[in-house]
Amino acid sequence: MVLISLKSVLPGAQSANDGFLFETTTSTPVDELIDSLVDIHNARLRSCLIADAVKGLAMYGVMKRPEDVGTDHVKEITGGNVERGDNYVEDPSGLRTGNPPDEKMAEILNREVRALEEYIHKNQVQNQVALTLPEITGKINNVRGAVTMAYPMGLPEWDLAHLALDGSVDKLKGTYLGGSLIEAKNASLWTCNKEFRRGQLVSDRLGSCNEKTKVVAKLTTKGSGPPAREPVVSETERNAMTAFYFTRQEELKRLAEADEDDYLNSAWADPKGMKKSLQGLDNVKAPGLRF
């Protein structure tokens, strides 16, 4: 199996290091590979929207009608009527009614959301877990089932959770994820600054004998050219180098300001240090003396 580590370079991605693993074969058509990668990419973004919406659903209940949006305490001050259920918790944003499901159902919603978030998380790359569309779809269905249990009568059509769970990808383009969702026909796949040509097989780019290859690839929009190269030094390595050179600079500064000869007692200042080291005498101490 060819293991593809896909890194997102699309606008609105979760982070610069976001991505996922996908398994394929060298005999797979490039068009089929791009379709599969785009489907998982869009499914991960959709899952993020579902997670945010269902968390809000479990905490503050369904969303208000667009014309009723506003904080409840202000509405009461102005003489408006606020429905307060047994589990009422005012939504600070004023977007939701503040009437969530009971504690048991809220825990079920949050549990299914956590399972979805853990599966699509970018840490799965480090865990060497390749994502599949059926698995993501199954976990989304679990969340949908939990929402149905909490709200048997269904969610209002203006609720973001309803849109994320039951709406098509085209309808999601009106949300904050719209800039990141792409269509397979407009996608282009690159690796090693080379494009996977449509109409060819994966083996035409990676070779037919490289079934155990792992490559880093990126999805871009068609016609945008090759994506930016990966930095030679990672962010963690850059931070470590900066800390090292800062510490070294401080040590040199202290040495430059020192006027005493204390450094002459250091092992590195002994002119016979190399000779003693080669003869094995560097750790020899006089008998009866303790240092």
Side-chain angles (χ1 to χ4, degrees):
M1 301 292 289
V2 176
L3 189 63
I4 295 181
S5 178
L6 188 75
K7 293 193 174 182
S8 176
V9 295
L10 296 172
Q14 297 173 7
S15 71
N17 297 321
D18 182 59
F20 60 91
L21 295 180
F22 181 77
E23 289 183 345
T24 186
T25 62
T26 55
S27 59
T28 302
V30 171
D31 293 80
E32 180 180 331
L33 174 61
I34 292 177
D35 290 347
S36 299
L37 292 175
V38 169
D39 288 342
I40 294 180
H41 170 80
N42 289 341
R44 289 180 74 239
L45 293 177
R46 181 176 187 172
S47 298
C48 293
L49 182 62
I50 290 173
D52 291 341
V54 175
K55 284 180 182 178
L57 195 66
M59 186 173 295
Y60 299 115
V62 299
M63 297 185 72
K64 301 176 182 178
R65 292 178 178 272
E67 61 270 17
D68 295 333
V69 170
T71 53
D72 291 345
H73 70 277
V74 173
K75 187 176 181 180
E76 288 179 329
I77 293 175
T78 57
N81 183 30
V82 176
E83 180 182 354
R84 294 174 178 265
D86 296 335
N87 304 312
Y88 177 80
V89 179
E90 182 179 357
D91 182 8
S93 67
L95 296 176
R96 298 183 177 275
T97 61
N99 294 301
D102 58 59
E103 184 176 351
K104 182 178 179 181
M105 289 308 308
E107 175 56 31
I108 293 176
L109 290 173
N110 289 324
R111 182 187 64 201
E112 297 301 335
V113 167
R114 284 195 300 270
L116 177 61
E117 288 181 317
E118 289 173 0
Y119 183 73
I120 66 169
H121 199 273
K122 63 182 181 181
N123 287 345
Q124 296 287 56
V125 176
Q126 298 177 356
N127 298 334
Q128 296 295 309
V129 176
L131 304 190
T132 63
L133 185 60
E135 189 71 20
I136 297 177
T137 303
K139 293 188 179 299
I140 292 177
N141 289 336
N142 291 341
V143 176
R144 183 183 292 108
V147 171
T148 302
M149 291 173 59
Y151 295 92
M153 302 302 293
L155 298 174
E157 59 181 9
W158 57 82
D159 195 287
L160 187 59
H162 171 76
L163 179 64
L165 286 169
D166 300 323
S168 62
V169 175
D170 292 335
K171 292 184 178 180
L172 298 182
K173 292 181 179 180
T175 67
Y176 64 86
L177 297 178
S180 300
L181 297 168
I182 60 173
E183 298 180 4
K185 64 181 181 180
N186 296 326
S188 179
L189 183 65
W190 294 76
T191 184
C192 303
N193 213 34
K194 300 291 184 180
E195 184 180 7
F196 283 83
R197 298 291 182 181
R198 290 181 178 272
Q200 297 182 345
L201 301 178
V202 174
S203 59
D204 294 326
R205 173 56 60 203
L206 302 180
S208 58
C209 300
N210 294 330
E211 278 291 351
K212 295 184 179 181
T213 301
K214 179 180 179 180
V215 296
V216 177
K218 290 185 177 181
L219 272 176
T220 63
T221 53
K222 188 181 297 184
S224 61
R229 291 179 179 270
E230 288 291 306
V232 178
V233 181
S234 67
E235 187 67 24
T236 303
E237 293 172 335
R238 185 182 297 108
N239 293 337
M241 292 169 61
T242 302
F244 171 79
Y245 286 116
F246 176 78
T247 304
R248 180 60 177 166
Q249 184 179 13
E250 292 298 317
E251 292 177 355
L252 294 175
K253 187 184 299 184
R254 287 195 298 269
L255 290 175
E257 295 174 353
D259 295 331
E260 300 181 1
D261 297 335
D262 295 343
Y263 70 92
L264 294 176
N265 296 326
S266 301
W268 57 266
D270 186 0
K272 297 182 180 180
M274 183 176 180
K275 179 180 178 180
K276 291 180 180 179
S277 178
L278 293 175
Q279 293 178 344
L281 303 175
D282 51 336
N283 293 322
V284 175
K285 299 178 181 178
L289 298 179
R290 296 182 178 179
F291 296 96

